[in-house]
Amino acid sequence: EPEVTQTPSHQVTQMGQEVILRCVPISNHLYFYWYRQILGQKVEFLVSFYNNEISEKSEIFDDQFSVERPDGSNFTLKIRSTKLEDSAMYFCASNMGAYEQYFGPGTRLTVT
Amino acid sequence: AQSVSQHNHHVILSEAASLELGCNYSYGGTVNLFWYVQYPGQHLQLLLKYFSGDPLVKGIKGFEAEFIKSKFSFNLRKPSVQWSDTAEYFCAVRPNTGTASKLTFGTGTRLQVTL
């Protein structure tokens, strides 16, 4: 069964550094999402992406964040200058639109 | 904007006990509803979903949920839990717009099943 993959599984970075989290959505999916889960809290929506542009973003997704689909398979989330409060599990998801979203295993980001 | 409430934060059950996890949502229009499960160290997996039709939906691993529109609820049930059901369970909602839209999650319920 096809699945969403994410790399790395764990990323440790220093405050102020840039990080790029990578995702490979399911190949025939058209819509892509990033969510995050701060430890002990609920899963929160960050951004959705369709047709090479952002379709919706949350208040969390400020100017420090950006997303890109650099080729036909990868979908990336970049955080330009990480803060301590960016430490969280970041989940990528994809779907065909009005169907359920399939989630990747997540990247645990630790900012020190 | 939509919101989801899961009232049970931590539930401990013995094997073979029955399970019901509450989920209530707030949204003015029609919705799609989901239950996702996250086993320890694993990613979110879809347990079941409601889009339309029969309000009683059956999912994987013997789980079911009932959509009660008048109560804005979508409670998850299982008649007899197993130790392997130990996991975190998330209810999620999104507007039924016919197109892709974000999921709004509840805070999750941690289920611990004891032998």
Side-chain angles (χ1 to χ4, degrees), chain B residues 6-112:
Chain B
Q6 290 182 247
H7 310 294
N8 317 103
H9 297 294
H10 190 190
V11 173
I12 303 173
L13 292 173
S14 300
E15 262 203 332
S18 65
L19 170 73
E20 180 159 4
L21 301 182
C23 171
N24 288 91
Y25 69 93
S26 172
Y27 183 70
T30 56
V31 294
N32 300 145
L33 294 154
F34 306 84
W35 276 97
Y36 282 87
V37 61
Q38 188 176 30
Y39 298 103
Q42 296 190 29
H43 61 283
L44 289 162
Q45 300 174 39
L46 182 69
L47 264 183
L48 47 76
K49 64 193 180 203
Y50 172 79
F51 280 27
S52 64
D54 189 344
L56 183 63
V57 291
K58 296 192 183 300
I60 60 171
K61 307 189 182 191
F63 286 91
E64 64 178 33
E66 184 174 12
F67 170 50
I68 303 179
K69 189 175 179 181
S70 60
K71 295 185 178 179
F72 297 90
S73 70
F74 191 56
N75 292 354
L76 181 71
R77 299 195 291 246
K78 186 170 184 179
S80 176
V81 294
Q82 300 174 306
W83 179 79
S84 57
D85 293 325
T86 294
E88 187 127 21
Y89 292 80
F90 294 93
C91 182
V93 65
R94 73 165 185 213
N96 184 7
T97 61
T99 60
S101 54
K102 67 182 184 188
L103 290 171
T104 298
F105 285 85
T107 50
T109 297
R110 184 178 303 278
L111 172 64
Q112 185 179 347

Side-chain angles (χ1 to χ4, degrees), chain A residues 15-26:
Chain A
M15 200 166 49
Q17 296 296 303
E18 174 184 285
V19 293
I20 297 176
L21 310 183
R22 291 183 167 79
C23 168
V24 179
I26 294 173

Side-chain angles (χ1 to χ4, degrees), chain A residues 33-86:
Chain A
Y33 311 80
W34 283 102
Y35 294 81
R36 78 172 185 190
Q37 184 181 27
I38 294 172
L39 189 63
Q41 297 185 27
K42 63 180 177 180
V43 178
E44 302 173 288
F45 168 78
L46 290 177
V47 66
S48 58
F49 191 85
Y50 169 70
N51 201 25
N52 279 321
E53 59 183 29
I54 291 172
S55 44
E56 188 177 2
K57 61 183 180 180
S58 71
E59 291 174 355
I60 304 167
F61 195 87
D62 61 22
D63 292 343
Q64 292 299 313
F65 291 88
S66 62
V67 288
E68 193 178 33
R69 188 154 163 80
D71 52 43
S73 59
N74 290 282
F75 179 51
T76 62
L77 174 69
K78 182 193 290 186
I79 309 175
R80 266 181 268 282
S81 177
T82 50
K83 308 184 192 77
L84 293 176
E85 55 265 36
D86 293 327

